[in-house]
Amino acid sequence: MKDFYFKALENIYRKLDEILLPAGIDCGKCCICCLNIREDTFTPLEIEYIYKNSSRKNREDFFYAIRENSICPFCDLTIGRCTIYNFRPLVCRRWGPFVNELYSYISASCVYAKKVHIFPPEKKEEVPFQKEFASLNKIYLENLREDEKNRIEKMRVLSEEEKDKKDIEDFERALKVSFHKAPILTLIGRAYNKLGNSELSAHYYTKAIEIDPFYDFVWYLKGLWSYNKKDFKRAEFELRKALEIYPENITVRAFLIMFYVGLWNYNAARKEIEYLKGIYPFILERYDFLKEL
Protein backbone atom coordinates (compact mmCIF):
# COMPACT_ATOMS: atom_id res chain seq x y z
CA MET A 1 0.00 0.00 0.00
CA LYS A 2 2.80 2.40 0.86
CA ASP A 3 4.28 1.96 -2.59
CA PHE A 4 1.23 3.77 -3.95
CA TYR A 5 2.02 6.81 -1.80
CA PHE A 6 5.71 6.61 -2.64
CA LYS A 7 4.92 6.65 -6.36
CA ALA A 8 2.61 9.63 -5.91
CA LEU A 9 5.30 11.42 -3.91
CA GLU A 10 7.92 10.71 -6.56
CA ASN A 11 5.54 12.10 -9.18
CA ILE A 12 5.25 15.38 -7.26
CA TYR A 13 9.02 15.54 -6.87
CA ARG A 14 9.48 14.89 -10.59
CA LYS A 15 7.04 17.63 -11.62
CA LEU A 16 8.60 20.10 -9.19
CA ASP A 17 12.10 19.28 -10.43
CA GLU A 18 10.97 19.83 -14.01
CA ILE A 19 10.06 23.40 -13.04
CA LEU A 20 12.98 24.21 -10.76
CA LEU A 21 16.00 22.31 -12.02
CA PRO A 22 16.36 24.06 -15.41
CA ALA A 23 16.89 27.35 -13.57
CA GLY A 24 18.51 25.72 -10.57
CA ILE A 25 21.83 26.79 -9.13
CA ASP A 26 24.37 24.37 -7.75
CA CYS A 27 24.69 25.02 -4.02
CA GLY A 28 28.23 23.69 -4.15
CA LYS A 29 29.47 22.70 -0.71
CA CYS A 30 27.36 25.23 1.16
CA CYS A 31 24.94 23.09 3.23
CA ILE A 32 24.38 25.95 5.72
CA CYS A 33 20.63 25.31 5.50
CA CYS A 34 21.31 21.72 6.56
CA LEU A 35 22.73 22.96 9.87
CA ASN A 36 19.41 24.33 10.99
CA ILE A 37 16.53 22.09 9.96
CA ARG A 38 13.14 22.14 11.66
CA GLU A 39 11.13 19.26 13.03
CA ASP A 40 8.58 19.73 10.24
CA THR A 41 11.18 19.62 7.46
CA PHE A 42 10.27 15.97 6.89
CA THR A 43 6.64 14.85 6.72
CA PRO A 44 5.82 11.34 8.05
CA LEU A 45 5.37 10.12 4.48
CA GLU A 46 8.74 11.51 3.45
CA ILE A 47 10.41 9.96 6.48
CA GLU A 48 9.08 6.55 5.45
CA TYR A 49 10.14 7.18 1.86
CA ILE A 50 13.70 8.08 2.86
CA TYR A 51 13.81 5.14 5.27
CA LYS A 52 12.85 2.79 2.46
CA ASN A 53 15.66 4.14 0.30
CA SER A 54 18.33 4.35 3.00
CA SER A 55 20.70 1.80 4.43
CA ARG A 56 19.62 2.40 8.03
CA LYS A 57 18.07 -0.68 9.59
CA ASN A 58 16.72 0.45 12.95
CA ARG A 59 13.46 2.25 12.28
CA GLU A 60 13.18 3.95 15.68
CA ASP A 61 16.76 5.24 15.59
CA PHE A 62 16.10 6.51 12.09
CA PHE A 63 12.98 8.42 13.17
CA TYR A 64 14.66 9.90 16.23
CA ALA A 65 17.66 10.99 14.18
CA ILE A 66 15.32 13.13 12.09
CA ARG A 67 13.10 14.43 14.87
CA GLU A 68 15.76 15.38 17.42
CA ASN A 69 18.48 16.99 15.33
CA SER A 70 18.96 20.53 14.11
CA ILE A 71 21.81 19.36 11.90
CA CYS A 72 20.33 17.21 9.17
CA PRO A 73 21.44 13.61 9.80
CA PHE A 74 21.82 13.13 6.05
CA CYS A 75 24.31 15.93 5.54
CA ASP A 76 27.96 14.92 5.27
CA LEU A 77 29.61 17.95 6.85
CA THR A 78 33.10 16.83 5.88
CA ILE A 79 32.32 17.41 2.20
CA GLY A 80 29.26 19.66 2.48
CA ARG A 81 26.94 17.39 0.54
CA CYS A 82 23.55 15.72 0.96
CA THR A 83 23.77 11.93 1.15
CA ILE A 84 20.12 11.39 0.13
CA TYR A 85 19.91 14.00 -2.60
CA ASN A 86 17.64 11.96 -4.90
CA PHE A 87 15.26 11.27 -2.00
CA ARG A 88 15.44 14.65 -0.23
CA PRO A 89 12.14 16.13 1.05
CA LEU A 90 10.07 18.71 -0.75
CA VAL A 91 11.19 21.56 1.52
CA CYS A 92 14.80 20.97 0.46
CA ARG A 93 13.84 20.79 -3.21
CA ARG A 94 12.11 24.15 -3.24
CA TRP A 95 14.31 25.95 -0.69
CA GLY A 96 15.92 28.89 -2.40
CA PRO A 97 13.45 29.32 -5.24
CA PHE A 98 10.48 29.29 -2.81
CA VAL A 99 10.90 30.18 0.85
CA ASN A 100 8.21 30.59 3.50
CA GLU A 101 8.27 34.06 5.02
CA LEU A 102 8.25 32.59 8.53
CA TYR A 103 11.64 30.96 7.93
CA SER A 104 12.89 33.40 5.36
CA TYR A 105 16.36 34.29 6.57
CA ILE A 106 18.44 33.80 3.46
CA SER A 107 22.06 34.72 3.97
CA ALA A 108 23.91 36.88 1.45
CA SER A 109 26.21 33.93 0.79
CA CYS A 110 23.30 31.80 -0.50
CA VAL A 111 23.44 31.26 -4.26
CA TYR A 112 19.70 32.03 -4.35
CA ALA A 113 19.98 35.29 -2.39
CA LYS A 114 19.15 37.41 -5.44
CA LYS A 115 16.56 35.03 -6.89
CA VAL A 116 14.58 33.85 -3.90
CA HIS A 117 10.78 34.05 -3.97
CA ILE A 118 9.49 34.75 -0.46
CA PHE A 119 5.85 33.83 0.06
CA PRO A 120 3.67 34.64 3.09
CA PRO A 121 2.11 31.69 4.98
CA GLU A 122 -1.41 32.49 3.80
CA LYS A 123 -0.26 32.24 0.18
CA LYS A 124 1.67 28.97 0.48
CA GLU A 125 -0.77 27.25 -1.84
CA GLU A 126 0.65 29.37 -4.65
CA VAL A 127 3.85 27.34 -4.40
CA PRO A 128 3.93 24.74 -7.20
CA PHE A 129 2.25 21.45 -6.21
CA GLN A 130 1.76 22.53 -2.58
CA LYS A 131 -1.94 21.59 -2.61
CA GLU A 132 -1.19 18.22 -4.18
CA PHE A 133 1.59 17.56 -1.69
CA ALA A 134 -0.49 18.56 1.34
CA SER A 135 -3.41 16.43 0.15
CA LEU A 136 -1.21 13.38 -0.36
CA ASN A 137 0.28 13.66 3.12
CA LYS A 138 -3.15 14.13 4.67
CA ILE A 139 -4.53 11.01 2.96
CA TYR A 140 -1.42 9.06 3.95
CA LEU A 141 -1.86 9.94 7.64
CA GLU A 142 -5.58 9.19 7.55
CA ASN A 143 -4.93 5.71 6.19
CA LEU A 144 -2.06 4.70 8.44
CA ARG A 145 -2.55 1.60 10.53
CA GLU A 146 -3.34 2.34 14.16
CA ASP A 147 -0.02 0.94 15.39
CA GLU A 148 1.86 3.23 13.01
CA LYS A 149 -0.17 6.25 14.09
CA ASN A 150 0.55 5.41 17.71
CA ARG A 151 4.25 5.11 17.00
CA ILE A 152 4.35 8.59 15.49
CA GLU A 153 2.23 10.11 18.27
CA LYS A 154 4.26 8.49 21.04
CA MET A 155 7.63 9.50 19.71
CA ARG A 156 9.36 11.45 22.41
CA VAL A 157 9.95 15.08 21.55
CA LEU A 158 12.74 16.88 23.35
CA SER A 159 11.85 19.89 25.45
CA GLU A 160 13.15 23.25 24.25
CA GLU A 161 15.90 23.21 26.87
CA GLU A 162 16.92 19.64 26.04
CA LYS A 163 16.94 20.50 22.35
CA ASP A 164 19.13 23.56 22.84
CA LYS A 165 21.63 21.63 24.98
CA LYS A 166 21.76 18.83 22.43
CA ASP A 167 22.21 21.38 19.64
CA ILE A 168 25.24 22.86 21.37
CA GLU A 169 26.84 19.42 21.69
CA ASP A 170 26.09 18.62 18.05
CA PHE A 171 27.35 21.98 16.80
CA GLU A 172 30.56 21.65 18.83
CA ARG A 173 31.21 18.30 17.15
CA ALA A 174 30.35 19.74 13.74
CA LEU A 175 32.80 22.56 14.33
CA LYS A 176 35.64 20.04 14.28
CA VAL A 177 34.83 18.63 10.84
CA SER A 178 33.01 21.36 8.92
CA PHE A 179 34.60 24.30 7.13
CA HIS A 180 31.50 26.42 7.92
CA LYS A 181 32.99 27.82 11.12
CA ALA A 182 31.17 31.16 11.32
CA PRO A 183 27.65 29.74 10.72
CA ILE A 184 28.19 27.00 13.31
CA LEU A 185 29.60 29.42 15.89
CA THR A 186 26.57 31.63 15.23
CA LEU A 187 24.17 28.76 15.87
CA ILE A 188 26.00 27.85 19.09
CA GLY A 189 25.60 31.46 20.18
CA ARG A 190 21.90 31.37 19.38
CA ALA A 191 21.44 28.14 21.36
CA TYR A 192 23.16 29.65 24.39
CA ASN A 193 20.99 32.74 24.04
CA LYS A 194 17.85 30.59 24.09
CA LEU A 195 19.17 28.93 27.25
CA GLY A 196 19.51 32.36 28.86
CA ASN A 197 23.31 32.45 28.85
CA SER A 198 23.77 35.84 27.21
CA GLU A 199 27.48 36.04 28.06
CA LEU A 200 28.37 32.86 26.19
CA SER A 201 25.96 33.82 23.43
CA ALA A 202 27.79 37.10 22.83
CA HIS A 203 31.12 35.28 23.03
CA TYR A 204 30.22 32.94 20.17
CA TYR A 205 28.67 35.71 18.09
CA THR A 206 31.88 37.70 18.45
CA LYS A 207 34.00 34.70 17.46
CA ALA A 208 31.84 34.20 14.37
CA ILE A 209 32.27 37.85 13.37
CA GLU A 210 36.03 37.60 13.85
CA ILE A 211 36.17 34.60 11.52
CA ASP A 212 33.79 36.02 8.91
CA PRO A 213 32.81 39.69 9.26
CA PHE A 214 30.72 39.35 6.10
CA TYR A 215 28.37 36.73 7.49
CA ASP A 216 25.20 38.80 7.75
CA PHE A 217 23.19 36.37 9.88
CA VAL A 218 25.51 36.75 12.85
CA TRP A 219 25.27 40.54 12.65
CA TYR A 220 21.47 40.20 12.68
CA LEU A 221 21.47 37.95 15.75
CA LYS A 222 24.02 40.15 17.49
CA GLY A 223 21.75 43.10 16.75
CA LEU A 224 18.84 41.29 18.39
CA TRP A 225 21.09 40.49 21.35
CA SER A 226 22.03 44.15 21.79
CA TYR A 227 18.40 45.20 21.36
CA ASN A 228 17.33 42.87 24.17
CA LYS A 229 20.08 44.43 26.30
CA LYS A 230 18.52 47.82 25.48
CA ASP A 231 21.73 48.96 23.83
CA PHE A 232 19.78 50.48 20.96
CA LYS A 233 22.67 52.39 19.42
CA ARG A 234 24.78 49.25 19.10
CA ALA A 235 21.76 47.23 17.97
CA GLU A 236 21.11 49.67 15.13
CA PHE A 237 24.77 49.55 14.11
CA GLU A 238 24.78 45.74 14.03
CA LEU A 239 21.49 45.47 12.17
CA ARG A 240 22.75 48.01 9.66
CA LYS A 241 25.90 45.93 9.23
CA ALA A 242 23.70 42.98 8.27
CA LEU A 243 21.93 45.15 5.69
CA GLU A 244 25.20 46.57 4.43
CA ILE A 245 26.15 43.01 3.50
CA TYR A 246 22.71 42.04 2.17
CA PRO A 247 20.42 45.06 1.53
CA GLU A 248 17.47 42.95 0.28
CA ASN A 249 17.12 40.96 3.49
CA ILE A 250 13.42 41.06 4.37
CA THR A 251 13.84 39.69 7.90
CA VAL A 252 16.25 42.40 9.02
CA ARG A 253 14.31 45.24 7.41
CA ALA A 254 11.02 44.04 8.91
CA PHE A 255 12.61 44.02 12.35
CA LEU A 256 14.09 47.47 11.80
CA ILE A 257 10.61 48.84 11.08
CA MET A 258 9.41 47.70 14.50
CA PHE A 259 12.71 48.82 16.02
CA TYR A 260 12.24 52.38 14.77
CA VAL A 261 8.55 52.47 15.63
CA GLY A 262 9.44 51.46 19.19
CA LEU A 263 11.90 54.36 19.33
CA TRP A 264 9.29 56.76 17.89
CA ASN A 265 11.52 57.30 14.88
CA TYR A 266 8.75 57.21 12.30
CA ASN A 267 10.80 58.79 9.52
CA ALA A 268 13.32 55.95 9.66
CA ALA A 269 10.48 53.41 9.85
CA ARG A 270 8.84 54.92 6.74
CA LYS A 271 12.09 54.59 4.80
CA GLU A 272 12.26 50.90 5.64
CA ILE A 273 8.60 50.45 4.70
CA GLU A 274 9.12 52.12 1.33
CA TYR A 275 12.12 49.93 0.62
CA LEU A 276 10.26 46.76 1.58
CA LYS A 277 7.21 47.70 -0.46
CA GLY A 278 9.39 47.52 -3.53
CA ILE A 279 10.67 44.00 -2.87
CA TYR A 280 7.99 42.50 -0.63
CA PRO A 281 4.59 44.25 -0.82
CA PHE A 282 2.98 41.74 1.56
CA ILE A 283 4.64 43.56 4.45
CA LEU A 284 1.76 46.03 4.72
CA GLU A 285 -0.73 43.18 4.88
CA ARG A 286 1.25 41.63 7.72
CA TYR A 287 1.44 44.86 9.71
CA ASP A 288 -1.73 46.70 8.80
CA PHE A 289 -1.09 49.55 11.23
CA LEU A 290 2.01 50.52 9.24
CA LYS A 291 -0.25 52.02 6.61
CA GLU A 292 -0.94 54.82 9.07
CA LEU A 293 2.70 55.83 9.41
Side-chain angles (χ1 to χ4, degrees), residues 194-228:
K194 290 167 69 178
L195 287 170
N197 193 329
S198 61
E199 185 176 334
L200 271 178
S201 176
H203 168 73
Y204 279 97
Y205 289 156
T206 301
K207 284 182 68 175
I209 290 170
E210 289 172 354
I211 289 176
D212 185 1
F214 296 102
Y215 185 49
D216 52 303
F217 186 47
V218 69
W219 283 111
Y220 168 62
L221 292 183
K222 185 60 172 62
L224 297 184
W225 186 94
S226 297
Y227 174 81
N228 288 326

Side-chain angles (χ1 to χ4, degrees), residues 42-60:
F42 302 85
T43 66
L45 172 58
E46 289 178 310
I47 292 174
E48 285 287 355
Y49 177 68
I50 295 168
Y51 176 72
K52 177 197 172 193
N53 290 286
S54 79
S55 58
R56 300 198 183 198
K57 302 301 181 185
N58 188 306
R59 180 185 291 269
E60 297 306 315

Side-chain angles (χ1 to χ4, degrees), residues 23-187:
I25 307 172
D26 187 353
C27 293
K29 296 182 179 181
C30 179
C31 80
I32 290 177
C33 296
C34 310
L35 297 172
N36 190 30
I37 66 170
R38 295 173 50 84
E39 185 181 312
D40 58 359
T41 297
F42 302 85
T43 66
L45 172 58
E46 289 178 310
I47 292 174
E48 285 287 355
Y49 177 68
I50 295 168
Y51 176 72
K52 177 197 172 193
N53 290 286
S54 79
S55 58
R56 300 198 183 198
K57 302 301 181 185
N58 188 306
R59 180 185 291 269
E60 297 306 315
D61 287 348
F62 178 84
F63 273 62
Y64 281 122
I66 292 175
R67 292 288 293 273
E68 293 190 351
N69 286 284
S70 286
I71 300 176
C72 180
F74 306 112
C75 178
D76 186 339
L77 292 174
T78 61
I79 60 173
R81 288 290 185 178
C82 175
T83 60
I84 58 161
Y85 188 79
N86 290 333
F87 313 112
R88 69 198 187 284
L90 183 131
V91 168
C92 301
R93 291 169 189 269
R94 75 183 187 201
W95 181 267
F98 294 94
V99 176
N100 191 319
E101 177 197 325
L102 296 179
Y103 324 118
S104 64
Y105 200 102
I106 298 287
S107 177
S109 60
C110 178
V111 294
Y112 282 102
K114 301 293 184 181
K115 296 186 176 183
V116 65
H117 173 75
I118 305 291
F119 63 91
E122 64 271 17
K123 295 184 181 293
K124 67 180 180 181
E125 292 188 348
E126 294 179 5
V127 177
F129 310 111
Q130 176 61 36
K131 287 183 181 179
E132 191 176 339
F133 178 73
S135 177
L136 176 64
N137 278 276
K138 181 181 178 182
I139 295 171
Y140 171 75
L141 287 174
E142 288 173 348
N143 288 279
L144 274 180
R145 296 197 317 265
E146 283 303 314
D147 61 321
E148 293 181 312
K149 287 182 181 179
N150 291 335
R151 187 186 71 243
I152 293 174
E153 291 172 358
K154 290 180 179 179
M155 281 186 64
R156 179 173 177 268
V157 178
L158 295 177
S159 69
E160 282 295 315
E161 183 176 348
E162 289 175 321
K163 182 73 164 55
D164 292 330
K165 289 179 178 178
K166 183 179 185 304
D167 281 349
I168 290 171
E169 294 175 0
D170 291 345
F171 290 139
E172 291 283 8
R173 283 194 293 271
L175 203 55
K176 297 175 182 178
V177 299
S178 174
F179 47 84
H180 292 301
K181 305 300 183 187
I184 294 174
L185 288 168
T186 300
L187 293 171

